[in-house]
Amino acid sequence: MPVNESIRLDNQLCFAVYNANRLFNKFYQLALAPFHLTYAQYVVLLALWEEDGLMLHALGRRLHLESNTLTPLLKRLETAGWLIRRRSPEDKRQLFVHLTDFGRRKQSEILQAVQHCGRQTDLTEDQYRLDLKKIQDLNAALRKSIADMEAEH
């Protein structure tokens, strides 16, 4: 029985994104291995390099992570000396996340390692930006669709 082309596995956008995610994980695993960082830890550092001293809930929003996922990441990064978590003296419920001197010093070295690996993809700057925009649009459409579906239930 012939298979309808639209339902073939290789024609599924979700499958292509799934495989791209696996490949990105491997890519970053190799690029970040010298620093003993996971991809999830790397994106925490990226957010803090943009804006140090974020409150926990603001960092979670920025990364689209719940606190039960983010807290173990932060604990491991803190134990390894990348960051510190501090309670606000004014309101003990507020937790702020700050880079350590070590975390700030390693930024350039880590970004160079990732860029070095990225250059091996042969993507042009224009193609990179175009792909990024398409994926950002896809993410926005999926978030909206999920919110609409959740509202129905």
Side-chain angles (χ1 to χ4, degrees), residues 54-70:
L54 286 170
M55 285 196 307
L56 177 65
H57 73 274
L59 182 58
R61 269 197 324 272
R62 178 79 175 97
L63 299 173
H64 304 281
L65 294 174
E66 299 294 327
S67 64
N68 62 342
T69 302
L70 186 55

PDB file of all heavy atoms in Angstrom, residues 54-70:
ATOM      1  N   LEU A  54      19.888  38.695  37.764  1.00  0.00           N
ATOM      2  CA  LEU A  54      18.458  38.509  37.516  1.00  0.00           C
ATOM      3  C   LEU A  54      17.793  37.806  38.692  1.00  0.00           C
ATOM      4  O   LEU A  54      18.403  36.970  39.356  1.00  0.00           O
ATOM      5  CB  LEU A  54      18.235  37.657  36.265  1.00  0.00           C
ATOM      6  CG  LEU A  54      18.498  38.320  34.919  1.00  0.00           C
ATOM      7  CD1 LEU A  54      18.463  37.274  33.811  1.00  0.00           C
ATOM      8  CD2 LEU A  54      17.480  39.407  34.658  1.00  0.00           C
ATOM      9  N   MET A  55      16.528  38.140  38.924  1.00  0.00           N
ATOM     10  CA  MET A  55      15.759  37.383  39.900  1.00  0.00           C
ATOM     11  C   MET A  55      15.442  36.018  39.287  1.00  0.00           C
ATOM     12  O   MET A  55      15.312  35.889  38.067  1.00  0.00           O
ATOM     13  CB  MET A  55      14.465  38.119  40.274  1.00  0.00           C
ATOM     14  CG  MET A  55      14.712  39.288  41.196  1.00  0.00           C
ATOM     15  SD  MET A  55      13.224  39.903  42.028  1.00  0.00           S
ATOM     16  CE  MET A  55      12.112  40.184  40.703  1.00  0.00           C
ATOM     17  N   LEU A  56      15.305  35.018  40.145  1.00  0.00           N
ATOM     18  CA  LEU A  56      15.070  33.654  39.686  1.00  0.00           C
ATOM     19  C   LEU A  56      13.889  33.578  38.729  1.00  0.00           C
ATOM     20  O   LEU A  56      13.994  32.984  37.652  1.00  0.00           O
ATOM     21  CB  LEU A  56      14.846  32.726  40.882  1.00  0.00           C
ATOM     22  CG  LEU A  56      14.519  31.274  40.540  1.00  0.00           C
ATOM     23  CD1 LEU A  56      15.696  30.605  39.858  1.00  0.00           C
ATOM     24  CD2 LEU A  56      14.115  30.509  41.785  1.00  0.00           C
ATOM     25  N   HIS A  57      12.760  34.190  39.082  1.00  0.00           N
ATOM     26  CA  HIS A  57      11.587  34.068  38.200  1.00  0.00           C
ATOM     27  C   HIS A  57      11.798  34.800  36.870  1.00  0.00           C
ATOM     28  O   HIS A  57      11.312  34.354  35.837  1.00  0.00           O
ATOM     29  CB  HIS A  57      10.299  34.515  38.911  1.00  0.00           C
ATOM     30  CG  HIS A  57      10.173  35.979  39.106  1.00  0.00           C
ATOM     31  ND1 HIS A  57      10.709  36.630  40.196  1.00  0.00           N
ATOM     32  CD2 HIS A  57       9.565  36.919  38.349  1.00  0.00           C
ATOM     33  CE1 HIS A  57      10.444  37.917  40.096  1.00  0.00           C
ATOM     34  NE2 HIS A  57       9.758  38.118  38.998  1.00  0.00           N
ATOM     35  N   ALA A  58      12.569  35.885  36.864  1.00  0.00           N
ATOM     36  CA  ALA A  58      12.856  36.590  35.608  1.00  0.00           C
ATOM     37  C   ALA A  58      13.774  35.743  34.726  1.00  0.00           C
ATOM     38  O   ALA A  58      13.590  35.677  33.504  1.00  0.00           O
ATOM     39  CB  ALA A  58      13.497  37.939  35.891  1.00  0.00           C
ATOM     40  N   LEU A  59      14.733  35.075  35.338  1.00  0.00           N
ATOM     41  CA  LEU A  59      15.620  34.185  34.594  1.00  0.00           C
ATOM     42  C   LEU A  59      14.822  33.017  34.010  1.00  0.00           C
ATOM     43  O   LEU A  59      15.002  32.657  32.841  1.00  0.00           O
ATOM     44  CB  LEU A  59      16.741  33.682  35.510  1.00  0.00           C
ATOM     45  CG  LEU A  59      17.795  32.771  34.896  1.00  0.00           C
ATOM     46  CD1 LEU A  59      18.506  33.442  33.727  1.00  0.00           C
ATOM     47  CD2 LEU A  59      18.800  32.353  35.963  1.00  0.00           C
ATOM     48  N   GLY A  60      13.922  32.464  34.797  1.00  0.00           N
ATOM     49  CA  GLY A  60      13.073  31.374  34.309  1.00  0.00           C
ATOM     50  C   GLY A  60      12.218  31.802  33.130  1.00  0.00           C
ATOM     51  O   GLY A  60      12.085  31.064  32.144  1.00  0.00           O
ATOM     52  N   ARG A  61      11.640  33.008  33.208  1.00  0.00           N
ATOM     53  CA  ARG A  61      10.841  33.532  32.086  1.00  0.00           C
ATOM     54  C   ARG A  61      11.705  33.714  30.852  1.00  0.00           C
ATOM     55  O   ARG A  61      11.305  33.375  29.739  1.00  0.00           O
ATOM     56  CB  ARG A  61      10.195  34.870  32.461  1.00  0.00           C
ATOM     57  CG  ARG A  61       8.827  34.754  33.058  1.00  0.00           C
ATOM     58  CD  ARG A  61       8.041  36.063  33.031  1.00  0.00           C
ATOM     59  NE  ARG A  61       8.831  37.261  33.236  1.00  0.00           N
ATOM     60  CZ  ARG A  61       9.123  37.805  34.419  1.00  0.00           C
ATOM     61  NH1 ARG A  61       8.684  37.247  35.526  1.00  0.00           N
ATOM     62  NH2 ARG A  61       9.832  38.907  34.498  1.00  0.00           N
ATOM     63  N   ARG A  62      12.892  34.249  31.054  1.00  0.00           N
ATOM     64  CA  ARG A  62      13.804  34.509  29.929  1.00  0.00           C
ATOM     65  C   ARG A  62      14.173  33.211  29.201  1.00  0.00           C
ATOM     66  O   ARG A  62      14.296  33.178  27.992  1.00  0.00           O
ATOM     67  CB  ARG A  62      15.056  35.205  30.469  1.00  0.00           C
ATOM     68  CG  ARG A  62      16.120  35.497  29.465  1.00  0.00           C
ATOM     69  CD  ARG A  62      15.765  36.741  28.649  1.00  0.00           C
ATOM     70  NE  ARG A  62      16.842  37.084  27.766  1.00  0.00           N
ATOM     71  CZ  ARG A  62      16.897  36.729  26.473  1.00  0.00           C
ATOM     72  NH1 ARG A  62      15.926  36.035  25.933  1.00  0.00           N
ATOM     73  NH2 ARG A  62      17.914  37.082  25.733  1.00  0.00           N
ATOM     74  N   LEU A  63      14.349  32.141  29.976  1.00  0.00           N
ATOM     75  CA  LEU A  63      14.767  30.858  29.414  1.00  0.00           C
ATOM     76  C   LEU A  63      13.600  29.923  29.108  1.00  0.00           C
ATOM     77  O   LEU A  63      13.814  28.812  28.608  1.00  0.00           O
ATOM     78  CB  LEU A  63      15.732  30.155  30.380  1.00  0.00           C
ATOM     79  CG  LEU A  63      17.022  30.907  30.690  1.00  0.00           C
ATOM     80  CD1 LEU A  63      17.810  30.191  31.777  1.00  0.00           C
ATOM     81  CD2 LEU A  63      17.868  31.074  29.441  1.00  0.00           C
ATOM     82  N   HIS A  64      12.386  30.345  29.445  1.00  0.00           N
ATOM     83  CA  HIS A  64      11.192  29.508  29.279  1.00  0.00           C
ATOM     84  C   HIS A  64      11.328  28.219  30.084  1.00  0.00           C
ATOM     85  O   HIS A  64      11.004  27.124  29.606  1.00  0.00           O
ATOM     86  CB  HIS A  64      10.913  29.198  27.806  1.00  0.00           C
ATOM     87  CG  HIS A  64      10.777  30.421  26.948  1.00  0.00           C
ATOM     88  ND1 HIS A  64       9.632  31.168  26.924  1.00  0.00           N
ATOM     89  CD2 HIS A  64      11.658  31.042  26.131  1.00  0.00           C
ATOM     90  CE1 HIS A  64       9.805  32.198  26.101  1.00  0.00           C
ATOM     91  NE2 HIS A  64      11.026  32.139  25.612  1.00  0.00           N
ATOM     92  N   LEU A  65      11.826  28.356  31.325  1.00  0.00           N
ATOM     93  CA  LEU A  65      12.000  27.210  32.219  1.00  0.00           C
ATOM     94  C   LEU A  65      11.266  27.449  33.527  1.00  0.00           C
ATOM     95  O   LEU A  65      11.262  28.557  34.052  1.00  0.00           O
ATOM     96  CB  LEU A  65      13.489  26.979  32.534  1.00  0.00           C
ATOM     97  CG  LEU A  65      14.389  26.562  31.388  1.00  0.00           C
ATOM     98  CD1 LEU A  65      15.845  26.511  31.840  1.00  0.00           C
ATOM     99  CD2 LEU A  65      13.957  25.214  30.820  1.00  0.00           C
ATOM    100  N   GLU A  66      10.674  26.394  34.049  1.00  0.00           N
ATOM    101  CA  GLU A  66      10.033  26.455  35.359  1.00  0.00           C
ATOM    102  C   GLU A  66      11.113  26.378  36.435  1.00  0.00           C
ATOM    103  O   GLU A  66      12.203  25.848  36.207  1.00  0.00           O
ATOM    104  CB  GLU A  66       9.052  25.288  35.522  1.00  0.00           C
ATOM    105  CG  GLU A  66       7.923  25.272  34.511  1.00  0.00           C
ATOM    106  CD  GLU A  66       6.974  26.445  34.648  1.00  0.00           C
ATOM    107  OE1 GLU A  66       6.766  26.910  35.789  1.00  0.00           O
ATOM    108  OE2 GLU A  66       6.443  26.900  33.616  1.00  0.00           O
ATOM    109  N   SER A  67      10.789  26.863  37.632  1.00  0.00           N
ATOM    110  CA  SER A  67      11.797  26.887  38.696  1.00  0.00           C
ATOM    111  C   SER A  67      12.245  25.482  39.100  1.00  0.00           C
ATOM    112  O   SER A  67      13.396  25.289  39.490  1.00  0.00           O
ATOM    113  CB  SER A  67      11.297  27.664  39.911  1.00  0.00           C
ATOM    114  OG  SER A  67      10.184  27.024  40.486  1.00  0.00           O
ATOM    115  N   ASN A  68      11.360  24.479  38.960  1.00  0.00           N
ATOM    116  CA  ASN A  68      11.773  23.117  39.327  1.00  0.00           C
ATOM    117  C   ASN A  68      12.791  22.539  38.340  1.00  0.00           C
ATOM    118  O   ASN A  68      13.494  21.590  38.663  1.00  0.00           O
ATOM    119  CB  ASN A  68      10.556  22.189  39.473  1.00  0.00           C
ATOM    120  CG  ASN A  68       9.777  22.019  38.198  1.00  0.00           C
ATOM    121  OD1 ASN A  68       9.889  22.809  37.266  1.00  0.00           O
ATOM    122  ND2 ASN A  68       8.963  20.995  38.143  1.00  0.00           N
ATOM    123  N   THR A  69      12.882  23.097  37.153  1.00  0.00           N
ATOM    124  CA  THR A  69      13.912  22.716  36.184  1.00  0.00           C
ATOM    125  C   THR A  69      15.148  23.595  36.353  1.00  0.00           C
ATOM    126  O   THR A  69      16.284  23.115  36.289  1.00  0.00           O
ATOM    127  CB  THR A  69      13.374  22.863  34.741  1.00  0.00           C
ATOM    128  OG1 THR A  69      12.212  22.046  34.595  1.00  0.00           O
ATOM    129  CG2 THR A  69      14.422  22.467  33.709  1.00  0.00           C
ATOM    130  N   LEU A  70      14.920  24.873  36.595  1.00  0.00           N
ATOM    131  CA  LEU A  70      16.014  25.837  36.689  1.00  0.00           C
ATOM    132  C   LEU A  70      16.831  25.681  37.971  1.00  0.00           C
ATOM    133  O   LEU A  70      18.064  25.771  37.943  1.00  0.00           O
ATOM    134  CB  LEU A  70      15.439  27.253  36.596  1.00  0.00           C
ATOM    135  CG  LEU A  70      16.414  28.409  36.531  1.00  0.00           C
ATOM    136  CD1 LEU A  70      17.392  28.238  35.379  1.00  0.00           C
ATOM    137  CD2 LEU A  70      15.654  29.720  36.396  1.00  0.00           C
TER     138      LEU A  70
END
